[in-house]
């Protein structure tokens, strides 16, 4: 059977429980002094990769994690290794640098080829920009099959992968062959907590540091953020006394 060599990209983002604040110049979201953690969708990807190995021990040869970010992004890679990944690569960026989805996809393509990966499992989106583009772009650059928004992943036969995903009104089941790109959705699994012994073991697992130039990738952004503002306060609802009152209110608002 074909051995799985899995790549799991992870991103360091503002913790999902923290309410983002716009900075004073209205050019970005404030990150200084804010709690950061692993993107929740990436936690699902790590968990699913580890579960595949637990279920098919002889088939998963290696789980490699990669992150592109500041030196502090080592923390999320150590967490990923504490959850069960074997090793990791940090592509170091400046503290304020941010890669666009296309640049990330090009970076992942180079890593896939250099590290001889045949399965990429990544979150369907990151909660900071909600772009939901990287997985699809990566599949296109590699010429691989893809299954997005997975709620269940199964290995079938020698090279087959079956992915179930939720769609309006039910479920859709897709089957493809390795090599393949899979993006993960929230209902896929429940990520495990990294235990203290595994956190200590993760400190001894290899973490390699690289630069974008090592992969020949141009990190120049093609888009410029003009302004970032808080959403307007939500107005409270109102009550009407009758159906006629409801119709009159809807007409007043231009809804009918």
């Amino acid at each position: 059977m074909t051995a799985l060599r899995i790549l799991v990209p992870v991103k360091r983002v503002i913790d999902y429980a923290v309410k983002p604040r716009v900075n004073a110049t209205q050019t970005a979201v404030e990150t200084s002094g804010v709690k950061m953690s692993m993107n929740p969708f990436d936690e699902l990807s790590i968990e699913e990769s580890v579960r595949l190995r637990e279920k098919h021990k002889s088939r998963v040869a290696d789980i490699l994690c990669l992150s592109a970010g500041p030196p502090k992004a080592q923390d999320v890679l150590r967490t990923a290794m504490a959850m069960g990944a074997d090793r990791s690569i940090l592509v170091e960026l400046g503290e304020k640098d941010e890669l666009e989805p296309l640049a990330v996809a090009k970076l992942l393509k180079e890593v896939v080829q250099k590290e001889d990966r045949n399965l990429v499992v990544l979150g369907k989106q990151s909660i900071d920009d909600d772009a939901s583009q990287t997985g699809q772009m990566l599949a296109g650059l590699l010429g691989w099959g893809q299954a997005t928004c997975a709620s269940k992943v199964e290995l079938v036969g020698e090279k087959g992968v079956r992915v179930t995903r939720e769609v309006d009104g039910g479920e859709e089941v897709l089957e493809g062959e390795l090599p393949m790109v899979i993006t993960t959705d929230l209902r896929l699994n429940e990520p495990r907590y990294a235990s203290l012994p595994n956190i200590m073991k993760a400190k001894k697992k290899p973490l390699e540091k690289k630069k974008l130039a090592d992969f020949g990738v141009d990190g120049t952004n093609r888009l410029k953020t003009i302004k970032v503002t808080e959403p307007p306060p939500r107005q409270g609802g109102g009550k009407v006394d009758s159906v006629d009152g409801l119709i009159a209110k809807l007409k007043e608002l231009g809804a009918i």
Side-chain angles (χ1 to χ4, degrees):
M1 289 187 175
T2 302
L4 292 177
R5 299 177 298 279
I6 304 175
L7 172 64
V8 184
V10 298
K11 188 176 184 181
R12 179 176 179 263
V13 299
I14 294 175
D15 189 86
Y16 73 92
V18 175
K19 184 181 184 299
R21 295 179 292 106
V22 177
N23 63 16
T25 57
Q26 293 190 322
T27 55
V29 172
E30 184 61 66
T31 56
S32 300
V34 177
K35 181 183 177 182
M36 309 290 281
S37 59
M38 188 189 303
N39 180 48
F41 291 99
D42 299 337
E43 290 183 341
L44 301 169
S45 302
I46 293 289
E47 177 65 26
E48 193 63 23
S49 300
V50 174
R51 289 189 184 190
L52 284 174
R53 178 164 59 191
E54 291 172 346
K55 191 173 181 179
H56 307 276
K57 293 183 180 179
S58 61
R59 294 203 56 185
V60 178
D62 180 40
I63 301 174
L64 168 65
C65 287
L66 177 134
S67 187
K72 293 179 181 178
Q74 293 181 60
D75 294 345
V76 297
L77 290 172
R78 292 294 181 192
T79 299
M81 291 190 288
M83 290 174 67
D86 300 304
R87 57 193 181 94
S88 58
I89 297 174
L90 172 63
V91 180
E92 291 187 324
L93 305 175
E95 194 66 39
K96 298 296 183 180
D97 291 342
E98 187 76 20
L99 293 180
E100 292 177 351
L102 180 58
V104 177
K106 289 180 176 179
L107 171 61
L108 295 177
K109 174 178 177 283
E110 295 298 319
V111 174
V112 164
Q113 294 174 340
K114 289 179 182 294
E115 296 289 337
D116 190 26
R117 303 289 100 181
N118 61 2
L119 178 63
V120 183
V121 185
L122 68 162
K124 71 171 185 177
Q125 65 193 71
S126 59
I127 62 172
D128 50 2
D129 59 18
D130 282 332
S132 190
Q133 297 175 344
T134 303
Q136 294 90 321
M137 288 178 170
L138 175 61
L141 291 172
L142 290 168
W144 288 7
Q146 61 175 303
T148 58
C149 305
S151 60
K152 186 177 181 180
V153 178
E154 302 169 278
L155 301 182
V156 290
E158 183 176 341
K159 296 177 64 177
V161 182
R162 180 183 296 133
V163 174
T164 303
R165 61 180 187 171
E166 295 180 355
V167 295
D168 289 344
E171 294 182 337
E172 181 179 56
V173 179
L174 305 174
E175 282 196 12
E177 288 191 347
L178 297 172
M180 194 170 182
V181 175
I182 297 173
T183 70
T184 59
D185 206 352
L186 286 177
R187 288 174 178 77
L188 179 60
N189 58 51
E190 183 71 30
R192 69 193 65 191
Y193 287 101
S195 65
L196 182 58
N198 287 336
I199 292 173
M200 300 306 294
K201 290 177 183 177
K203 293 181 179 181
K204 298 181 181 180
K205 291 184 178 180
L207 191 160
E208 191 175 358
K209 296 179 182 179
K210 296 277 190 178
K211 300 289 186 183
L212 272 179
D214 296 332
F215 297 97
V217 175
D218 180 11
T220 304
N221 289 337
R222 293 168 169 77
L223 301 175
K224 180 181 179 181
T225 300
I226 304 300
K227 189 177 183 181
V228 179
T229 59
E230 294 275 0
R234 182 177 295 179
Q235 296 181 347
K239 291 184 178 181
V240 294
D241 298 325
S242 64
V243 174
D244 291 337
L246 174 61
I247 293 173
K249 188 66 175 177
L250 291 174
K251 286 181 177 179
E252 178 186 332
L253 296 173
I256 58 174

